[in-house]
Amino acid sequence: MKATEEDLHPRGPWTYLRESLPGGFRPNGLAFILAWVVLQVALPSLWSIHLRRLVGSSALPHYWGERLTARDIHEILWNGGLHQAWTGFWMPTFGIVILYLVLWFGWRHQAEELGIRARWRPWCMGLLDALLMGLLPLGAVTWLLLLVLDYLGATGIQGLGWVAIVGRTLAPLCMGAALMVLWWLCRLDRAAEPDRPYGLRLRHALVCLWSRPIQWSSLIFIGVIIRLGIHALVLLLAWRIGGGATPGVWLILLLQALAAAINAWIIAWCMRTTARYWRQDARVRQAVSDLKRDYA
């Protein structure tokens, strides 16, 4: 179907948030959510069960993060047997497999939004493109931001000190989220337009991200805040409930799974938004290229 003139207007990612709300519970979306829940909840729970069996009724867990030294960690890992059996090989392998499924089903879900086939090559090469183009500039921006936060923290003003503490936590997370968005754009570009020259491909991916700095930065920042906030609420509730009773432990575990599922749905929503934004940008670029060719 031929695009109308209105369809060829450049639009930022904000405008696609409402359009991208549906579609999160298609098969690939559900698989992505399930894999994310397993990664966020099942793996830590298995580690917790093993550690509980390892220390038994010891008072050691009460002092974790306070008095646990490097020698204590070595004793637990080697003399305590933590490196043996399923924790030695199978647990890391299981974690890697689940992480792969999270990333792969996320790619399938995003490709499905545009009606293109999810292939290995654009998925892998898109990641390399994102690291090549985004690691240095995004790392520089994050470094400058951390310098500003360090300056604010050194002023001695209590409010600015809290801003610095929270900002130092959020800045690396936002950088990682921005790299993920760039990866989403790069792999879509490679999958949908595989014959485009490499230099032009890199330039267009950078333009997609940096031409809308306010909208992208706000979406990334708000997304990180919401995802952290959901897990923080669960941790706060878990702190109040305590782990002394079995029903309370199961309630906390279910709440963690629910929080992980909500966060996975939010990430999938952002992937669909990015896909729609890239499709509109590609239409605009093609229309501009056609006009240049017609008037050349």
Short mmCIF file of all heavy atoms in Angstrom, two decimals, residues 197-244:
data_model
loop_
_atom_site.label_atom_id
_atom_site.label_comp_id
_atom_site.label_asym_id
_atom_site.label_seq_id
_atom_site.Cartn_x
_atom_site.Cartn_y
_atom_site.Cartn_z
N PRO A 197 24.98 -0.03 1.75
CA PRO A 197 26.41 0.11 2.04
C PRO A 197 26.66 0.26 3.54
O PRO A 197 25.87 0.86 4.27
CB PRO A 197 26.80 1.39 1.29
CG PRO A 197 25.80 1.50 0.19
CD PRO A 197 24.52 0.95 0.73
N TYR A 198 27.81 -0.29 3.99
CA TYR A 198 28.07 -0.36 5.41
C TYR A 198 28.19 1.01 6.06
O TYR A 198 27.63 1.26 7.14
CB TYR A 198 29.35 -1.16 5.66
CG TYR A 198 29.63 -1.42 7.11
CD1 TYR A 198 28.81 -2.24 7.87
CD2 TYR A 198 30.74 -0.84 7.73
CE1 TYR A 198 29.06 -2.49 9.20
CE2 TYR A 198 31.00 -1.08 9.07
CZ TYR A 198 30.15 -1.91 9.80
OH TYR A 198 30.41 -2.13 11.12
N GLY A 199 28.91 1.92 5.40
CA GLY A 199 29.06 3.26 5.97
C GLY A 199 27.74 3.98 6.10
O GLY A 199 27.48 4.65 7.11
N LEU A 200 26.87 3.84 5.09
CA LEU A 200 25.56 4.46 5.15
C LEU A 200 24.70 3.84 6.25
O LEU A 200 23.94 4.52 6.93
CB LEU A 200 24.86 4.31 3.79
CG LEU A 200 23.58 5.12 3.57
CD1 LEU A 200 23.86 6.61 3.69
CD2 LEU A 200 22.98 4.79 2.21
N ARG A 201 24.87 2.54 6.45
CA ARG A 201 24.13 1.84 7.49
C ARG A 201 24.50 2.38 8.87
O ARG A 201 23.63 2.65 9.71
CB ARG A 201 24.44 0.34 7.41
CG ARG A 201 23.66 -0.51 8.38
CD ARG A 201 24.20 -1.93 8.42
NE ARG A 201 24.36 -2.49 7.09
CZ ARG A 201 23.38 -2.97 6.36
NH1 ARG A 201 22.14 -2.95 6.83
NH2 ARG A 201 23.62 -3.47 5.17
N LEU A 202 25.79 2.55 9.11
CA LEU A 202 26.24 3.06 10.40
C LEU A 202 25.75 4.49 10.63
O LEU A 202 25.32 4.84 11.73
CB LEU A 202 27.77 3.01 10.49
CG LEU A 202 28.42 1.61 10.43
CD1 LEU A 202 29.93 1.75 10.60
CD2 LEU A 202 27.85 0.68 11.48
N ARG A 203 25.81 5.30 9.60
CA ARG A 203 25.39 6.70 9.74
C ARG A 203 23.89 6.78 10.05
O ARG A 203 23.47 7.56 10.91
CB ARG A 203 25.71 7.47 8.47
CG ARG A 203 25.38 8.96 8.57
CD ARG A 203 25.90 9.70 7.37
NE ARG A 203 25.18 9.33 6.16
CZ ARG A 203 24.05 9.90 5.77
NH1 ARG A 203 23.48 10.84 6.52
NH2 ARG A 203 23.46 9.53 4.65
N HIS A 204 23.10 5.98 9.38
CA HIS A 204 21.66 6.03 9.61
C HIS A 204 21.30 5.55 11.01
O HIS A 204 20.38 6.09 11.64
CB HIS A 204 20.94 5.18 8.56
CG HIS A 204 20.86 5.85 7.23
ND1 HIS A 204 20.58 5.16 6.08
CD2 HIS A 204 21.02 7.15 6.86
CE1 HIS A 204 20.57 6.00 5.04
NE2 HIS A 204 20.85 7.20 5.51
N ALA A 205 22.01 4.52 11.51
CA ALA A 205 21.73 4.05 12.87
C ALA A 205 22.06 5.12 13.89
O ALA A 205 21.30 5.33 14.86
CB ALA A 205 22.52 2.78 13.15
N LEU A 206 23.17 5.82 13.70
CA LEU A 206 23.52 6.90 14.62
C LEU A 206 22.51 8.03 14.55
O LEU A 206 22.13 8.61 15.58
CB LEU A 206 24.92 7.42 14.29
CG LEU A 206 26.10 6.58 14.80
CD1 LEU A 206 27.42 7.18 14.33
CD2 LEU A 206 26.08 6.48 16.32
N VAL A 207 22.07 8.36 13.34
CA VAL A 207 21.10 9.44 13.19
C VAL A 207 19.79 9.07 13.87
O VAL A 207 19.15 9.92 14.52
CB VAL A 207 20.88 9.75 11.69
CG1 VAL A 207 19.68 10.67 11.50
CG2 VAL A 207 22.12 10.39 11.11
N CYS A 208 19.37 7.81 13.77
CA CYS A 208 18.13 7.36 14.41
C CYS A 208 18.17 7.60 15.91
O CYS A 208 17.16 8.00 16.52
CB CYS A 208 17.90 5.88 14.13
SG CYS A 208 17.22 5.51 12.50
N LEU A 209 19.32 7.38 16.52
CA LEU A 209 19.42 7.53 17.98
C LEU A 209 19.68 8.97 18.39
O LEU A 209 19.02 9.50 19.29
CB LEU A 209 20.53 6.62 18.50
CG LEU A 209 20.71 6.61 20.03
CD1 LEU A 209 19.47 6.02 20.70
CD2 LEU A 209 21.94 5.80 20.42
N TRP A 210 20.65 9.63 17.74
CA TRP A 210 21.09 10.94 18.20
C TRP A 210 20.27 12.09 17.66
O TRP A 210 20.39 13.22 18.15
CB TRP A 210 22.56 11.15 17.83
CG TRP A 210 23.48 10.25 18.60
CD1 TRP A 210 24.03 9.08 18.15
CD2 TRP A 210 23.95 10.42 19.94
NE1 TRP A 210 24.81 8.52 19.12
CE2 TRP A 210 24.79 9.33 20.23
CE3 TRP A 210 23.74 11.40 20.91
CZ2 TRP A 210 25.42 9.19 21.46
CZ3 TRP A 210 24.37 11.26 22.14
CH2 TRP A 210 25.20 10.16 22.40
N SER A 211 19.42 11.85 16.66
CA SER A 211 18.59 12.95 16.15
C SER A 211 17.43 13.26 17.09
O SER A 211 16.80 14.32 16.97
CB SER A 211 18.04 12.60 14.76
OG SER A 211 17.20 11.45 14.82
N ARG A 212 17.12 12.36 18.02
CA ARG A 212 16.04 12.58 19.00
C ARG A 212 16.61 12.37 20.41
O ARG A 212 16.16 11.50 21.15
CB ARG A 212 14.90 11.60 18.75
CG ARG A 212 14.35 11.62 17.35
CD ARG A 212 13.41 12.78 17.15
NE ARG A 212 12.86 12.79 15.79
CZ ARG A 212 11.89 13.60 15.40
NH1 ARG A 212 11.36 14.46 16.26
NH2 ARG A 212 11.45 13.56 14.15
N PRO A 213 17.59 13.17 20.82
CA PRO A 213 18.26 12.89 22.11
C PRO A 213 17.34 13.06 23.31
O PRO A 213 17.45 12.28 24.28
CB PRO A 213 19.40 13.91 22.13
CG PRO A 213 18.96 15.02 21.22
CD PRO A 213 18.15 14.36 20.14
N ILE A 214 16.44 14.05 23.28
CA ILE A 214 15.57 14.27 24.43
C ILE A 214 14.59 13.11 24.59
O ILE A 214 14.39 12.58 25.69
CB ILE A 214 14.82 15.61 24.29
CG1 ILE A 214 15.81 16.77 24.15
CG2 ILE A 214 13.90 15.83 25.48
CD1 ILE A 214 16.72 16.94 25.34
N GLN A 215 13.96 12.73 23.48
CA GLN A 215 12.96 11.66 23.57
C GLN A 215 13.60 10.32 23.94
O GLN A 215 13.09 9.60 24.81
CB GLN A 215 12.21 11.55 22.24
CG GLN A 215 11.36 12.77 21.92
CD GLN A 215 10.30 12.47 20.87
OE1 GLN A 215 9.89 11.34 20.68
NE2 GLN A 215 9.85 13.52 20.19
N TRP A 216 14.72 9.98 23.29
CA TRP A 216 15.36 8.71 23.61
C TRP A 216 15.89 8.68 25.03
O TRP A 216 15.71 7.69 25.75
CB TRP A 216 16.49 8.42 22.62
CG TRP A 216 16.06 7.86 21.31
CD1 TRP A 216 16.30 8.38 20.07
CD2 TRP A 216 15.31 6.66 21.08
NE1 TRP A 216 15.74 7.59 19.10
CE2 TRP A 216 15.13 6.53 19.69
CE3 TRP A 216 14.77 5.69 21.92
CZ2 TRP A 216 14.44 5.46 19.13
CZ3 TRP A 216 14.08 4.62 21.36
CH2 TRP A 216 13.92 4.51 19.98
N SER A 217 16.57 9.76 25.45
CA SER A 217 17.13 9.79 26.80
C SER A 217 16.03 9.72 27.86
O SER A 217 16.19 9.05 28.89
CB SER A 217 17.99 11.04 27.00
OG SER A 217 17.21 12.22 26.81
N SER A 218 14.91 10.40 27.62
CA SER A 218 13.82 10.35 28.59
C SER A 218 13.19 8.96 28.65
O SER A 218 12.89 8.45 29.75
CB SER A 218 12.76 11.40 28.25
OG SER A 218 12.19 11.14 26.97
N LEU A 219 13.00 8.33 27.50
CA LEU A 219 12.45 6.97 27.49
C LEU A 219 13.38 6.00 28.20
O LEU A 219 12.93 5.15 28.99
CB LEU A 219 12.20 6.51 26.06
CG LEU A 219 11.00 7.13 25.32
CD1 LEU A 219 10.94 6.61 23.90
CD2 LEU A 219 9.71 6.82 26.06
N ILE A 220 14.67 6.12 27.93
CA ILE A 220 15.64 5.22 28.56
C ILE A 220 15.67 5.45 30.06
O ILE A 220 15.64 4.51 30.87
CB ILE A 220 17.03 5.42 27.93
CG1 ILE A 220 17.03 4.88 26.49
CG2 ILE A 220 18.10 4.73 28.76
CD1 ILE A 220 18.27 5.24 25.71
N PHE A 221 15.74 6.72 30.47
CA PHE A 221 15.83 7.05 31.89
C PHE A 221 14.57 6.62 32.64
O PHE A 221 14.65 5.98 33.70
CB PHE A 221 16.06 8.55 32.05
CG PHE A 221 16.16 9.01 33.48
CD1 PHE A 221 17.31 8.74 34.22
CD2 PHE A 221 15.12 9.69 34.07
CE1 PHE A 221 17.40 9.15 35.55
CE2 PHE A 221 15.20 10.10 35.39
CZ PHE A 221 16.35 9.84 36.13
N ILE A 222 13.41 6.95 32.09
CA ILE A 222 12.16 6.58 32.76
C ILE A 222 12.01 5.06 32.82
O ILE A 222 11.56 4.50 33.83
CB ILE A 222 10.96 7.22 32.03
CG1 ILE A 222 11.00 8.74 32.19
CG2 ILE A 222 9.64 6.68 32.57
CD1 ILE A 222 9.96 9.48 31.38
N GLY A 223 12.40 4.37 31.73
CA GLY A 223 12.32 2.91 31.74
C GLY A 223 13.20 2.30 32.81
O GLY A 223 12.78 1.36 33.52
N VAL A 224 14.43 2.81 32.97
CA VAL A 224 15.32 2.29 34.02
C VAL A 224 14.75 2.56 35.39
O VAL A 224 14.77 1.69 36.27
CB VAL A 224 16.72 2.93 33.86
CG1 VAL A 224 17.59 2.64 35.08
CG2 VAL A 224 17.41 2.41 32.60
N ILE A 225 14.21 3.77 35.60
CA ILE A 225 13.64 4.12 36.90
C ILE A 225 12.46 3.20 37.24
O ILE A 225 12.33 2.69 38.37
CB ILE A 225 13.18 5.59 36.91
CG1 ILE A 225 14.38 6.53 36.90
CG2 ILE A 225 12.29 5.88 38.11
CD1 ILE A 225 15.18 6.51 38.17
N ILE A 226 11.58 2.97 36.27
CA ILE A 226 10.40 2.13 36.53
C ILE A 226 10.82 0.70 36.85
O ILE A 226 10.32 0.10 37.82
CB ILE A 226 9.44 2.17 35.32
CG1 ILE A 226 8.82 3.56 35.18
CG2 ILE A 226 8.36 1.10 35.46
CD1 ILE A 226 7.96 3.72 33.96
N ARG A 227 11.74 0.16 36.08
CA ARG A 227 12.15 -1.23 36.31
C ARG A 227 12.85 -1.39 37.66
O ARG A 227 12.59 -2.35 38.40
CB ARG A 227 13.05 -1.70 35.18
CG ARG A 227 12.33 -1.79 33.83
CD ARG A 227 13.09 -2.63 32.84
NE ARG A 227 14.43 -2.13 32.60
CZ ARG A 227 14.73 -1.21 31.68
NH1 ARG A 227 13.77 -0.68 30.94
NH2 ARG A 227 15.97 -0.81 31.49
N LEU A 228 13.72 -0.44 38.00
CA LEU A 228 14.36 -0.49 39.31
C LEU A 228 13.34 -0.28 40.42
O LEU A 228 13.42 -0.92 41.48
CB LEU A 228 15.46 0.56 39.39
CG LEU A 228 16.78 0.25 38.69
CD1 LEU A 228 17.75 1.42 38.87
CD2 LEU A 228 17.40 -1.03 39.22
N GLY A 229 12.41 0.64 40.19
CA GLY A 229 11.41 0.92 41.22
C GLY A 229 10.54 -0.27 41.54
O GLY A 229 10.20 -0.52 42.71
N ILE A 230 10.17 -1.03 40.51
CA ILE A 230 9.33 -2.22 40.74
C ILE A 230 10.06 -3.23 41.61
O ILE A 230 9.51 -3.76 42.59
CB ILE A 230 8.91 -2.84 39.40
CG1 ILE A 230 7.96 -1.90 38.64
CG2 ILE A 230 8.27 -4.20 39.60
CD1 ILE A 230 7.62 -2.36 37.25
N HIS A 231 11.33 -3.48 41.28
CA HIS A 231 12.09 -4.43 42.09
C HIS A 231 12.37 -3.87 43.49
O HIS A 231 12.41 -4.63 44.47
CB HIS A 231 13.40 -4.78 41.39
CG HIS A 231 13.26 -5.83 40.34
ND1 HIS A 231 12.87 -7.13 40.62
CD2 HIS A 231 13.44 -5.79 39.00
CE1 HIS A 231 12.82 -7.84 39.51
NE2 HIS A 231 13.16 -7.04 38.51
N ALA A 232 12.57 -2.57 43.59
CA ALA A 232 12.80 -1.96 44.91
C ALA A 232 11.58 -2.11 45.81
O ALA A 232 11.71 -2.37 47.01
CB ALA A 232 13.18 -0.49 44.75
N LEU A 233 10.39 -1.97 45.24
CA LEU A 233 9.17 -2.16 46.02
C LEU A 233 9.06 -3.59 46.53
O LEU A 233 8.65 -3.82 47.69
CB LEU A 233 7.95 -1.80 45.18
CG LEU A 233 7.75 -0.31 44.86
CD1 LEU A 233 6.57 -0.13 43.92
CD2 LEU A 233 7.54 0.48 46.14
N VAL A 234 9.41 -4.55 45.69
CA VAL A 234 9.38 -5.94 46.13
C VAL A 234 10.38 -6.18 47.24
O VAL A 234 10.08 -6.86 48.25
CB VAL A 234 9.64 -6.88 44.93
CG1 VAL A 234 9.75 -8.34 45.39
CG2 VAL A 234 8.54 -6.75 43.89
N LEU A 235 11.59 -5.63 47.10
CA LEU A 235 12.60 -5.81 48.14
C LEU A 235 12.17 -5.15 49.45
O LEU A 235 12.41 -5.69 50.54
CB LEU A 235 13.93 -5.22 47.67
CG LEU A 235 14.66 -5.97 46.56
CD1 LEU A 235 15.90 -5.22 46.14
CD2 LEU A 235 15.02 -7.39 47.02
N LEU A 236 11.53 -3.97 49.36
CA LEU A 236 11.05 -3.30 50.56
C LEU A 236 9.97 -4.14 51.25
O LEU A 236 9.98 -4.29 52.48
CB LEU A 236 10.51 -1.92 50.20
CG LEU A 236 9.93 -1.09 51.35
CD1 LEU A 236 11.02 -0.81 52.38
CD2 LEU A 236 9.34 0.21 50.82
N LEU A 237 9.07 -4.69 50.45
CA LEU A 237 8.03 -5.54 51.03
C LEU A 237 8.63 -6.80 51.63
O LEU A 237 8.21 -7.26 52.70
CB LEU A 237 7.01 -5.90 49.95
CG LEU A 237 5.80 -6.72 50.40
CD1 LEU A 237 5.02 -5.96 51.48
CD2 LEU A 237 4.89 -7.03 49.21
N ALA A 238 9.64 -7.36 50.95
CA ALA A 238 10.30 -8.56 51.48
C ALA A 238 11.00 -8.26 52.80
O ALA A 238 11.02 -9.09 53.71
CB ALA A 238 11.30 -9.09 50.46
N TRP A 239 11.56 -7.06 52.90
CA TRP A 239 12.22 -6.67 54.15
C TRP A 239 11.22 -6.61 55.30
O TRP A 239 11.52 -7.01 56.43
CB TRP A 239 12.89 -5.33 53.95
CG TRP A 239 13.62 -4.81 55.17
CD1 TRP A 239 13.13 -4.01 56.15
CD2 TRP A 239 14.99 -5.09 55.53
NE1 TRP A 239 14.08 -3.75 57.10
CE2 TRP A 239 15.24 -4.40 56.74
CE3 TRP A 239 16.01 -5.83 54.94
CZ2 TRP A 239 16.48 -4.44 57.38
CZ3 TRP A 239 17.24 -5.87 55.58
CH2 TRP A 239 17.46 -5.18 56.78
N ARG A 240 10.02 -6.12 55.01
CA ARG A 240 9.00 -6.01 56.05
C ARG A 240 8.39 -7.37 56.41
O ARG A 240 8.07 -7.63 57.57
CB ARG A 240 7.90 -5.05 55.60
CG ARG A 240 8.38 -3.61 55.41
CD ARG A 240 7.25 -2.72 54.96
NE ARG A 240 6.21 -2.63 55.99
CZ ARG A 240 6.21 -1.75 56.98
NH1 ARG A 240 7.21 -0.88 57.08
NH2 ARG A 240 5.24 -1.72 57.86
N ILE A 241 8.24 -8.23 55.39
CA ILE A 241 7.65 -9.55 55.65
C ILE A 241 8.65 -10.44 56.38
O ILE A 241 8.30 -11.15 57.33
CB ILE A 241 7.21 -10.21 54.33
CG1 ILE A 241 6.06 -9.42 53.71
CG2 ILE A 241 6.80 -11.66 54.55
CD1 ILE A 241 5.64 -9.94 52.35
N GLY A 242 9.91 -10.40 55.93
CA GLY A 242 10.90 -11.28 56.51
C GLY A 242 10.85 -12.66 55.90
O GLY A 242 9.91 -13.02 55.18
N GLY A 243 11.87 -13.46 56.20
CA GLY A 243 11.95 -14.80 55.62
C GLY A 243 11.84 -15.90 56.64
O GLY A 243 12.33 -17.01 56.43
N GLY A 244 11.22 -15.60 57.77
CA GLY A 244 11.14 -16.60 58.82
C GLY A 244 10.08 -17.66 58.62
O GLY A 244 10.12 -18.71 59.26
#
